[in-house]
Amino acid sequence: MTSTVPQTVTASVLVIGDEILSGRTKDKNIGTIAEYLTAIGIELREVRVVPDEADEIVAAVNALRARYSYLFTTGGIGPTHDDITADCVARAFGVTIDVDPRAKAMLLERHKPEDLNEARLRMARIPAGADLIPNPISKAPGFRIGNVFVMAGVPAIMQVMLDAIGPTLTTGQRMLSETIEAGNLPEGTYASALAAVAAAHPTVSIGSYPAMVQGGFANRIVVRGKDPEAVGAAREAVEGLVAELKLGT
Amino acid sequence: MTSTVPQTVTASVLVIGDEILSGRTKDKNIGTIAEYLTAIGIELREVRVVPDEADEIVAAVNALRARYSYLFTTGGIGPTHDDITADCVARAFGVTIDVDPRAKAMLLERHKPEDLNEARLRMARIPAGADLIPNPISKAPGFRIGNVFVMAGVPAIMQVMLDAIGPTLTTGQRMLSETIEAGNLPEGTYASALAAVAAAHPTVSIGSYPAMVQGGFANRIVVRGKDPEAVGAAREAVEGLVAELKLGT
């Protein structure tokens, strides 16, 4: 598996929100973060979605930050009473949390001092020792503490925060991937041969992914690995068996 | 919180797949299952996404099945070498796994006996003691063992399996929800008043959810609970404060 390849940097994502668990809101951030991390050489290893409940959030933050190089959270950093992420992260790290002058200054770029009420000031409450993540869209910042990055849940804002975080991350060897279109070739016709190819190319991971289009299957075989030569060799082997089987059909 | 309301049935979802973690494939099943469970009175409490690695899958299955009424998994039940979900679930339950005659019969509805090769027969490998979940689309069944439901990852197939499972589930009191459109009313203007409403209506949960449309905010306040009267009263209180603030703007 890829995790045995050296120079690996791992990550996890924690989505905080009853709205996702209720199905009312469909998460868009998981896929965005996954694609982003893969592109820069960080392996997303686990995702969790938990409700807006302090004990659940604290437990998940501590489990994930201990296990992976980075943890990225989304959601729960707004001004309303149900936005409890910052307090939960402070609790997880055992640090205090209070209004941060730097964060307050950012909010003042958008709000007049007289409009910076108690609720809005909640968005400036940052755990002690955290660095801020700028938010050019609505100003209320995210923050980084240790290996945990706390971002907004609104996809457009999460994206700009991720763009700001990206350059600061330690990245590993980039995962290369090649896709071979098996089309409507049934998985069952190439599964055995593909397993043999996988066994013969142990330094790459090979997956077969069925999808449906107009009621028929559109299968794709994906070769993933960090060594260009190994990935190329496996790709050629897979292309060979697919071409052979297509001739056979 | 809703979890303190009696007659609660809880659930978790485990998405199995490197493809989701790599960002190459965007998950659609989490939102579908979340909406489905909410509609029938089951509370989705946690979602996890893990890679196609046996130890990770087994650990997640055992953690989630122990904690929630039900666990629904998606992905990894095809015929290829990277489809290891059934074996991992058998390992999690400590039971044997072998070709199940009932599952083999289902596969024979689609494949001629001479086409039912070793790879396809893998799709008939079912943990001992499991019940099958029919798959009208491609025949390869999912299965239920204990409180764990193992479903396909292809959204169309997952959906028909979910439809088959639904009527067999024990459901709790249905969660009612009411949405109040706050429109472009900034969260910061109603956060304090909303917190007071939430405190005054402890048997419901009230959330404020910002979204962006054409660069501006489109905020929604959602009241959720199981007692129609309590939800209605909270909704009226929220509508009242929103109307008042809109007049003020």
Side-chain angles (χ1 to χ4, degrees), chain B residues 128-214:
Chain B
D131 299 321
L132 303 187
I133 301 169
N135 166 3
I137 295 177
S138 61
K139 299 303 178 183
F143 61 87
R144 171 196 184 146
I145 179 167
N147 63 337
V148 179
F149 293 84
V150 175
M151 304 188 288
V154 175
I157 299 176
M158 190 286 296
Q159 180 71 68
V160 295
M161 289 183 170
L162 195 57
D163 292 337
I165 291 166
T168 73
L169 299 172
T170 301
T171 56
Q173 213 174 323
R174 203 163 152 277
M175 182 68 61
L176 307 170
S177 80
E178 298 271 7
T179 301
I180 299 90
E181 298 294 341
N184 60 5
L185 204 59
E187 281 191 301
T189 61
Y190 61 72
S192 303
L194 190 66
V197 171
H201 297 80
T203 65
V204 304
S205 78
I206 301 180
S208 175
Y209 304 101
M212 297 194 68
V213 287
Q214 298 121 21

Side-chain angles (χ1 to χ4, degrees), chain A residues 83-112:
Chain A
D83 293 305
I84 60 176
T85 300
D87 289 86
C88 292
V89 171
R91 214 180 101 191
F93 277 82
V95 301
T96 58
I97 178 168
D98 205 343
V99 170
D100 183 305
R102 302 164 302 170
K104 183 176 177 180
M106 290 175 174
L107 293 174
L108 284 169
E109 294 171 17
R110 181 173 179 216
H111 303 289
K112 299 198 206 79

Side-chain angles (χ1 to χ4, degrees), chain A residues 19 22 24 26 35 38 45 47-49 51 53 56 67 81-82 117 119 177 179 188 191 206-209, chain B residues 19 22 24 26 35 38 45 47-49 51 53 56 67 81-82 117 119 177 179 186 188 191 206 208-209:
Chain A
E19 272 298 89
S22 74
R24 175 183 298 273
K26 303 293 182 292
E35 225 171 324
T38 299
R45 300 275 306 161
V47 175
R48 294 192 191 183
V49 185
E53 294 174 25
E56 297 298 323
R67 188 153 185 219
H81 65 282
D82 54 320
N117 56 33
S177 80
T179 301
I206 300 180
S208 175
Y209 304 101
Chain B
E19 273 297 270
S22 74
R24 175 182 299 273
K26 303 294 182 290
E35 223 171 328
T38 299
R45 299 276 305 162
V47 175
R48 294 192 192 183
V49 186
E53 295 174 26
E56 297 298 321
R67 187 154 186 218
H81 64 283
D82 54 320
N117 56 31
S177 80
T179 301
I206 301 180
S208 175
Y209 304 101

Side-chain angles (χ1 to χ4, degrees), chain B residues 67-88:
Chain B
R67 187 154 186 218
Y68 305 102
S69 312
Y70 295 119
L71 165 61
F72 300 86
T73 78
T74 66
I77 62 170
T80 56
H81 64 283
D82 54 320
D83 292 305
I84 59 175
T85 300
D87 289 87
C88 292

Side-chain angles (χ1 to χ4, degrees), chain B residues 58-130:
Chain B
V58 171
V61 165
N62 280 331
L64 296 172
R65 75 185 176 101
R67 187 154 186 218
Y68 305 102
S69 312
Y70 295 119
L71 165 61
F72 300 86
T73 78
T74 66
I77 62 170
T80 56
H81 64 283
D82 54 320
D83 292 305
I84 59 175
T85 300
D87 289 87
C88 292
V89 171
R91 213 178 104 193
F93 277 83
V95 300
T96 58
I97 177 168
D98 206 343
V99 170
D100 183 305
R102 301 165 301 170
K104 184 176 178 180
M106 290 175 174
L107 292 174
L108 284 169
E109 294 171 18
R110 181 173 178 214
H111 303 290
K112 299 199 205 78
E114 60 270 28
D115 293 340
L116 200 54
N117 56 31
E118 191 186 337
R120 285 181 168 134
L121 267 178
R122 285 192 75 228
M123 296 190 287
R125 298 181 75 249
I126 304 291

